[in-house]
Amino acid sequence: MYVHLGGGCLIRAAEIIGIFSVKENKEFYKVLKNEKGEYYKAENLSGDGMIDSVVLTEDKIYLSGISAFTLQKRINENLIYYNGGNNG
């Protein structure tokens, strides 16, 4: 299943490690390091420069103009659709 992060970018949901809201602290992602101790490469997907969320994957950080809540909702809706409903 793929998730649209904005800016025409689709990534596999399985690649996502975390989704973080950055409305208050838009610069926090700059201090995150991968397992090798290197800073992540960041790809800015927000066309107007307004960053609402950061999506962390193993290789990269995506800066999205879409809220973390909306991204999580998209993932949850796809899980329900592809898994045949909410049985929980």
Side-chain angles (χ1 to χ4, degrees), residues 17-28:
I17 295 171
I19 301 172
F20 307 96
S21 177
V22 293
K23 290 181 181 182
E24 299 299 319
N25 185 1
K26 298 192 185 316
E27 303 292 318
F28 100 95

Side-chain angles (χ1 to χ4, degrees), residues 16-63:
I16 298 173
I17 295 171
I19 301 172
F20 307 96
S21 177
V22 293
K23 290 181 181 182
E24 299 299 319
N25 185 1
K26 298 192 185 316
E27 303 292 318
F28 100 95
Y29 70 90
K30 292 183 179 181
V31 299
L32 295 177
K33 295 182 181 181
N34 62 21
E35 291 176 346
K36 298 175 187 173
E38 301 166 339
Y39 292 105
Y40 284 94
K41 294 177 185 171
E43 183 174 340
N44 191 344
L45 304 173
S46 65
D48 63 358
M50 283 297 297
I51 301 168
D52 280 339
S53 64
V54 169
V55 178
L56 177 64
T57 67
E58 192 171 315
D59 301 324
K60 190 186 286 189
I61 291 177
Y62 295 91
L63 310 176

